[in-house]
Amino acid sequence: MKKYLFLLLLSTNVYAGDFRVVDGDTIAILKNKPDLSSFPLSIRILNIDTPEIKGKCESEKAKAQEAKLFVEGLINNPKNKVTYKISGWDKYGGRVLGNVFVNGKNLSELMIAKGLAKKYHGEKKSSWCD
């Protein structure tokens, strides 16, 4: 089933309102999933780390909310075209890994440029608490 799902969702267009933002680096697709409307699908955005909503300090929690609002503003704006490209399954299960694009721009890069995310490639994560 996982391999079949992976092949179906390699790259898909979705529209404003089709998402729920979980946090700055995870979004859930609510609609427009090919033939899988009842299957929950969350995308862990590749190559970034964002602050945690239940972070270790108040500044991390505040930055996490800011990151979440930024993503919500972009992907839920009906003027924006949102696409995603899946690259595989997350090591924790239940999520897929992928890139999300807003009007052709990589969401990871937009978040890094705003200071709402850090580059991440699997190494030990650095603290958001200073």
Side-chain angles (χ1 to χ4, degrees):
M1 175 64 178
K2 284 186 177 183
K3 287 181 182 179
Y4 177 70
L5 171 67
F6 177 70
L7 293 173
L8 279 176
L9 298 172
L10 286 176
S11 184
T12 306
N13 293 327
V14 284
Y15 305 95
D18 291 353
F19 294 103
R20 178 179 63 84
V21 178
V22 177
D23 59 23
D25 56 20
T26 306
I27 60 174
I29 301 172
L30 304 175
K31 297 187 250 177
N32 292 323
K33 297 174 288 180
D35 300 321
L36 297 167
S37 60
S38 65
F39 189 89
L41 181 66
S42 292
I43 298 176
R44 166 66 169 84
I45 301 170
L46 277 174
N47 302 322
I48 60 170
D49 176 48
T50 60
E52 298 297 326
I53 300 289
K54 296 179 180 178
K56 296 178 182 175
C57 63
E58 291 306 313
S59 63
E60 180 178 11
K61 293 174 189 177
K63 189 65 108 175
Q65 286 298 326
E66 186 180 350
K68 182 178 178 180
L69 290 172
F70 177 75
V71 174
E72 285 175 337
L74 288 175
I75 68 171
N76 289 323
N77 182 337
K79 294 179 182 178
N80 290 337
K81 179 181 177 186
V82 179
T83 58
Y84 60 88
K85 186 170 183 177
I86 303 302
S87 67
W89 287 95
D90 184 27
K91 65 183 177 182
Y92 298 110
R95 298 187 298 187
V96 292
L97 300 170
N99 286 301
V100 176
F101 302 92
V102 179
N103 299 326
K105 296 179 182 173
N106 189 310
L107 181 58
S108 297
E109 294 171 7
L110 295 172
M111 294 187 69
I112 290 168
K114 287 277 190 185
L116 300 172
K118 296 176 183 177
K119 290 182 182 181
Y120 177 70
H121 300 285
E123 68 279 2
K124 183 179 177 185
K125 295 180 180 180
S126 60
S127 176
W128 286 91
C129 300
D130 293 335

